[in-house]
């Protein structure tokens, strides 16, 4: 049971148009990912769903619509009302009676009261969230009529997973579903009637051949995942529809939905009462979720060991490396959109490359055993084998056949001789043997066998990778959503335009935005904040909602005017790292509402160095692509330097005509021209060194740190 699209509907029985929490939400999962939309009225939702159904039919896509209300009632209701024990009979009955307007005014309470009239006692329906009484509809639970079952089988089965779905009977109160069913069933009934034969309701009727399948969902199945998403600031309804749509879509792609759609219960039960997708199989649904919302970073992820005055660069890097993990969710996207995306799972070859043994050259193919040393003459068989035009017969032993590059080796051919090495007549070829067995052929799967891992989780897809995945039959990939990197400049003196004489132009922001873009992230310009806690707080609060990680520059030390670190330490979880490195000692690392903040120094030279050495591997890890090291080459120095022990030093450098590293004349941390002059950095180790021309040093080219 495979679907190209899944829509999950969080329905609402609200009595007036409503958006936001507890209103109607649609979560739509396709190969391009998942998105949610919020709809104010039931009429609008019906129109929207009709449109989505039409679009799916038009594009010949198979669509699953899963809605979160009971599609049937416990045994007895349909029978009493309609004379038939089928949920679809109940659908007809309800659709003929329940009305709704484009302002969400509905008569479902009256119809419930009418149904109550058919049974003993005051029920079975109860609950009324309105001031007005509805005659025949008790506010609190009445004694349940003994002639009706109280629960549906699916509701009881669900309890095994610790879930207690409410029954259709309850029309109001937390978690009640009855009102949604009474208003939702007539809507689905109309969708089904609009496209006869195209829309089928699972499991009330056979769905195998229907392009559009409607099924019942229970949106508490993924409660833990939904809770995690709410912690991330999502609205509950949005999280529910997105997560369930993602799960059903992924299970469908993996061929695992068929199992869920074949519960081990009699057809009478399934068609009489309905069933929700995943009843008694919550774990199976959960397996489809993936890490739509990955765990947050731990609060202490940036903590440094106490009592350490200066942290060596390697210790700081080691600490970061062990504390960080990917923070973005995953998505399934078409291969053609996947350039630069990071794989969230290993990808195996769906098909061998090449799928069949084939010829590597234009020439003549034959069975090797028929040849020997010296001149070999072989009569030519009729026909030829070309790429895309296989020869389907068998080449007799001792004969040769014309074969072209890429052609599948026909039966009877295991070796190919190059046409340039042959004397050729109308009826035969001759060549000078011996020829090696399997010469000029490619084995099936010699590049990659079917089922072999083509690429590993964490790999950032480049052009050749797309070729590899396409060749091995992968059309969609599961990737991490692209990391959103916010960039904020701080400082009273910083501006981007019309600088007054006391101001300077913002150099860091364009640089850091460009770095983030070049590294493959969504760079988000957070602008500039003057040195006041209020302004910085406002920027960070906004950024915490729109980004996955924030880079700030300026104000990161521990001085009077270092407002970023002051704010982060009073309201975030700041760890001020004093790193034994030059330039760029202060590095403020913090979480702001759970979002990591890297406070880089304000000096552009220090900001770039810290970004290359610390931010680059940090962002890479957060993005799912794993820790990265700069590329390093040992080259000879073209300069002299006497360096003391106790800190690592980086110099703006480039290679001269001899391939030796020269360094920028000034070490001034504000000398931006040196950054631009350089093609990389020279790194001198933590200990004392004496460099003279010819001493080997480590050169880290910009290009090896992802600078484009
Ligand atoms: P701070 O880290 O705020 O003490 O700033 C250190 C130095 O870097 C000061 O001279 C700042 O004016 C300068 N600076 C800070 N932010 C920027 C920026 N965005 N562009 C250029 N220079 C900056
Ligand atoms: Mg400043």
């Amino acid at each position: 049971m495979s679907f190209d699209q899944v829509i999950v509907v969080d329905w609402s029985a609200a009595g007036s148009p409503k958006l936001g929490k507890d209103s109607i939400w649609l979560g739509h999962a396709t190969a391009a990912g998942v998105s949610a939309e919020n709809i104010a009225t039931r009429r609008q939702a019906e129109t929207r769903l009709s449109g989505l159904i039409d679009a799916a039919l038009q594009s010949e896509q198979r669509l699953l619509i899963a809605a979160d209300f009971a599609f049937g009632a416990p045994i007895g209701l349909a029978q009493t009302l309609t004379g038939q024990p089928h949920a679809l009979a109940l659908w007809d009955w309800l659709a003929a009676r329940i009305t709704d307007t484009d302002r969400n005014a509905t008569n479902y309470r009256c119809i419930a009261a009418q149904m109550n009239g058919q049974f003993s006692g005051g029920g079975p329906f109860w609950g009324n969230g309105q001031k007005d009484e509805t005659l025949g509809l008790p506010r609190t639970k009445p004694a349940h009529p003994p002639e009706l079952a109280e629960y549906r089988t699916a509701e009881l089965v669900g309890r095994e997973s610790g879930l207690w779905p409410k029954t259709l009977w309850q029309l109001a109160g937390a978690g009640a579903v009855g009102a949604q069913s009474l208003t939702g069933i007539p809507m689905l009934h109309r969708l089904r009637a609009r496209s006869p034969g195209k829309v089928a309701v699972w499991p009330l009727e056979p769905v195998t051949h229907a392009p559009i399948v409607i099924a019942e969902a229970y949106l508490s199945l993924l409660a833990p995942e939904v809770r995690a998403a709410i912690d991330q600031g999502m609205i509950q309804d949005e999280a529910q529809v997105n997560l369930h749509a993602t799960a059903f879509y992924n299970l469908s792609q993996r061929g695992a939905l068929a199992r869920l759609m074949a519960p081990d219960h009699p057809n009478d039960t399934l068609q009489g009462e309905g069933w929700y997708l995943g009843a008694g199989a919550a774990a199976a649904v959960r397996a489809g979720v993936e890490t739509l919302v990955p765990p947050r970073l731990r609060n202490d992820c940036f903590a440094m060991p106490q009592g350490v005055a200066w942290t060596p660069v390697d210790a700081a890097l080691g600490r970061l490396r062990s504390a960080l993990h990917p923070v973005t969710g995953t998505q399934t996207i078409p291969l053609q959109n996947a350039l630069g995306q990071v794989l969230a799972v290993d990808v195996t070859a769906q098909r061998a490359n090449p799928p069949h043994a084939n010829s590597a050259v234009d020439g003549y193919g034959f069975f090797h055993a028929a040849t020997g040393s010296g001149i070999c003459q072989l009569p030519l068989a009729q026909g030829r084998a070309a790429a895309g035009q296989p020869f389907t017969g068998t080449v007799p032993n001792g004969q040769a056949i014309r074969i072209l590059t890429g052609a599948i080796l026909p039966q009877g051919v295991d070796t190919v001789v190059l046409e340039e090495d042959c004397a050729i007549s109308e009826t035969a070829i001759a060549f000078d043997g011996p020829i090696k067995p399997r010469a000029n052929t490619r084995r099936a799967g010699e590049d990659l066998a079917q089922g072999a891992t083509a690429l590993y989780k964490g790999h950032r897809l480049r052009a050749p990778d797309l070729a590899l995945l396409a060749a091995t039959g992968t059309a969609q990939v599961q990737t991490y959503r692209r990391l959103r990197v916010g960039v904020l400049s701080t400082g009273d003196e910083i501006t981007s335009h019309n600088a007054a004489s006391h101001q300077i132009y913002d150099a860091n922001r364009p640089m850091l935005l460009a770095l983030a873009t070049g590294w493959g992230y969504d760079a988000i310009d957070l602008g500039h904040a003057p040195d006041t806690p209020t302004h910085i707080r406002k920027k960070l609060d906004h950024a915490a909602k729109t980004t996955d990680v924030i880079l700030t520059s300026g104000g990161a030390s521990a001085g009077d005017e270092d407002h970023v670190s002051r704010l982060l330490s009073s309201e975030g979880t700041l760890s001020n790292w004093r790193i034994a490195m030059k330039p760029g000692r202060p590095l403020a690392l913090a979480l702001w509402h759970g979002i990591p903040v890297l406070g880089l120094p304000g000096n552009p030279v220090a900001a770039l160095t810290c970004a290359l050495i610390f931010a680059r591997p940090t962002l890479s890890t957060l993005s799912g692509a794993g820790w990265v090291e700069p590329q390093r080459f040992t080259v000879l120095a073209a300069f002299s330097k006497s360096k003391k022990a106790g800190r690592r030093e980086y110099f703006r450098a480039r290679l001269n005509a001899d391939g030796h590293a020269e360094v920028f004349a000034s070490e001034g941390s504000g000398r931006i021209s040196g950054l631009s002059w350089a093609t990389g950095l020279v790194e001198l180790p933590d200990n004392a060194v004496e460099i003279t021309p010819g001493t080997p040093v480590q050169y880290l080219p910009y290009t090896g740190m992802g600078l484009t």
Side-chain angles (χ1 to χ4, degrees):
M1 192 73 56
S2 158
F3 294 95
D4 306 298
Q5 308 178 37
V6 175
I7 294 172
V8 167
V9 183
D10 189 357
W11 195 241
S12 159
S16 54
K18 180 171 184 193
L19 286 172
K21 202 170 146 25
D22 294 331
S23 60
I24 300 176
W25 287 81
L26 304 187
H28 194 173
T30 65
V34 67
S35 59
E37 67 188 284
N38 189 196
I39 298 177
T41 68
R42 286 184 289 278
R43 280 275 172 87
Q44 285 165 12
E46 184 170 342
T47 307
R48 178 72 178 132
L49 286 170
S50 304
L52 289 164
I53 289 175
D54 292 346
L57 289 172
Q58 187 100 47
S59 57
E60 297 190 350
Q61 293 222 336
R62 194 135 196 256
L63 167 64
L64 171 69
I65 299 176
D68 78 325
F69 48 81
F71 281 13
I75 284 290
L77 183 73
Q79 178 74 51
T80 306
L81 296 177
T82 71
Q84 296 171 55
H86 297 306
L88 278 180
L90 178 66
W91 280 41
D92 292 338
W93 193 93
L94 290 173
R97 287 163 180 81
I98 288 180
T99 58
D100 214 333
T101 69
D102 54 12
R103 302 294 298 162
N104 267 0
T106 156
N107 68 346
Y108 76 83
R109 289 186 191 84
C110 299
I111 303 301
Q114 198 180 317
M115 287 188 270
N116 278 348
Q118 310 259 339
F119 298 93
S120 61
F125 288 97
W126 63 278
N128 182 352
Q130 285 198 321
K131 272 207 198 101
D132 294 343
E133 289 297 335
T134 301
L135 203 67
L137 182 64
R139 283 190 182 271
T140 52
K141 191 174 178 203
H144 188 73
E147 64 269 35
L148 272 178
E150 186 156 6
Y151 293 98
R152 295 188 298 158
T153 312
E155 284 150 11
L156 299 173
V157 161
R159 293 184 182 179
E160 290 161 17
S161 336
L163 298 166
W164 291 75
K166 298 241 156 69
T167 69
L168 185 75
W169 312 131
Q170 186 182 339
L171 300 184
V177 67
Q180 272 97 312
S181 289
L182 298 187
T183 52
I185 286 172
M187 183 273 299
L188 295 181
H189 180 273
R190 287 188 292 272
L191 291 184
R192 177 168 170 268
R194 253 185 98 244
S195 313
K198 304 267 191 252
V199 179
V201 185
W202 176 88
L204 311 185
E205 59 187 331
V207 298
T208 324
H209 301 294
I212 314 292
V213 174
I214 302 182
E216 179 184 333
Y218 174 46
L219 299 191
S220 297
L221 264 190
L222 300 174
E225 292 78 5
V226 167
R227 260 197 306 280
I230 294 171
D231 286 346
Q232 297 254 319
M234 255 196 205
I235 292 181
Q236 171 169 341
D237 312 59
E238 179 184 10
Q240 283 182 328
V241 294
N242 275 354
L243 284 160
H244 286 80
T246 303
F248 293 142
Y249 177 79
N250 288 334
L251 292 171
S252 152
Q253 297 306 304
R254 292 180 209 155
L257 204 59
R259 178 77 205 85
L260 280 186
M261 295 189 98
D264 202 5
H265 287 268
N267 249 346
D268 285 357
T269 310
L270 300 176
Q271 297 185 352
E273 306 180 328
W275 198 263
Y276 65 87
L277 259 179
V285 177
R286 206 159 280 152
V289 175
E290 303 156 357
T291 49
L292 187 66
V293 181
R296 295 199 137 193
L297 294 175
R298 289 166 51 105
N299 263 350
D300 62 353
C301 69
F302 293 134
M304 282 304 272
Q306 292 296 308
V308 177
W310 290 99
T311 310
V313 172
D314 285 340
L317 290 173
R319 177 82 192 97
L320 278 177
R321 184 176 189 163
S322 62
L324 299 173
H325 58 72
V327 294
T328 68
T330 64
Q331 56 188 2
T332 304
I333 55 171
L335 189 61
Q336 66 263 30
N337 298 349
L339 181 66
Q341 303 273 358
V342 178
L343 288 178
V345 290
D346 294 351
V347 181
T348 50
Q350 301 299 306
R351 191 172 204 235
N353 185 48
H356 302 283
N358 64 81
S359 178
V361 298
D362 289 349
Y364 296 87
F366 44 81
F367 194 48
H368 183 266
T371 66
S373 50
I375 301 295
C376 300
Q377 181 166 336
L378 302 175
L380 268 176
Q382 281 292 316
R384 61 169 215 160
Q389 297 167 29
F391 178 82
T392 48
T394 300
V395 178
N397 194 3
Q399 294 192 15
I401 190 163
R402 177 68 169 145
I403 190 164
L404 300 172
T405 307
I408 295 176
L409 299 187
Q411 289 279 344
V413 172
D414 63 0
T415 304
V416 176
V417 59
L418 206 61
E419 65 184 18
E420 291 88 330
D421 292 343
C422 294
I424 305 158
S425 78
E426 288 281 293
T427 53
I429 59 151
F431 61 90
D432 203 2
I435 185 167
K436 282 195 190 140
R438 289 185 300 282
N440 299 314
T441 66
R442 306 164 176 149
R443 266 185 304 112
E446 69 175 16
D447 181 29
L448 215 61
Q450 183 178 12
T453 304
L455 290 171
Y456 288 90
K457 175 178 174 169
H459 185 76
R460 191 184 296 281
L461 295 171
R462 307 155 307 153
D465 304 319
L466 301 188
L468 176 62
L469 295 184
T472 49
T474 290
Q476 299 186 57
V477 283
Q478 194 186 329
T479 63
Y480 289 103
R481 179 176 51 65
R482 210 186 280 275
L483 190 74
R484 297 166 301 175
V485 180
V487 175
L488 175 68
S489 287
T490 70
D492 284 341
E493 76 282 29
I494 308 296
T495 184
S496 291
H497 30 78
N498 301 333
S501 66
H502 64 281
Q503 291 182 308
I504 61 168
Y505 283 116
D506 188 346
N508 290 343
R509 192 147 47 101
M511 174 173 74
L512 295 171
L513 286 167
L515 271 184
T517 305
W519 287 333
Y521 309 123
D522 278 344
I524 296 178
D525 188 351
L526 300 174
H528 156 258
D531 284 325
T532 67
T534 324
H535 285 103
I536 303 170
R537 185 189 298 113
K538 204 169 150 209
K539 290 284 187 189
L540 294 180
D541 282 348
H542 171 70
K545 295 197 192 92
T546 51
T547 69
D548 301 305
V549 52
I550 305 165
L551 302 181
T552 69
S553 70
S557 300
D560 288 352
E561 291 297 321
D562 291 310
H563 299 273
V564 174
S565 27
R566 191 106 56 78
L567 181 69
L568 289 174
S569 68
S570 64
E571 296 177 33
T573 52
L574 175 78
S575 194
N576 230 329
W577 290 21
R578 301 208 301 162
I579 295 169
M581 92 181 232
K582 183 189 169 196
R585 297 168 308 168
L587 186 63
L589 295 166
L591 291 181
W592 186 266
H593 300 313
I595 300 292
V597 183
L598 274 71
L600 303 170
N603 275 310
V605 176
L608 182 70
T609 310
C610 278
L612 294 179
I613 302 301
F614 289 100
R616 177 171 170 260
T618 297
L619 300 185
S620 181
T621 305
L622 297 175
S623 79
W627 192 259
V628 282
E629 302 277 354
Q631 198 179 31
R632 301 163 184 278
F633 297 99
T634 304
V635 302
L636 303 182
F639 62 94
S640 301
K641 197 124 279 175
S642 194
K643 182 193 158 296
K644 292 195 297 266
R647 70 179 182 202
R648 190 167 295 184
E649 293 189 16
Y650 293 92
F651 299 89
R652 285 148 281 178
R654 68 184 189 189
L655 301 183
N656 66 17
D658 299 328
H660 298 182
E662 48 182 341
V663 295
F664 192 59
S666 161
E667 288 179 31
S669 191
R671 297 286 195 102
I672 304 174
S673 67
L675 288 178
S676 175
W677 168 90
T679 56
L681 301 174
V682 153
E683 181 188 70
L684 298 187
D686 298 2
N687 50 314
V689 281
E690 199 58 45
I691 308 287
T692 53
T695 311
V697 291
Q698 292 286 294
Y699 172 67
L700 285 53
Y702 280 162
T703 51
M705 294 182 281
L707 235 90
T708 49

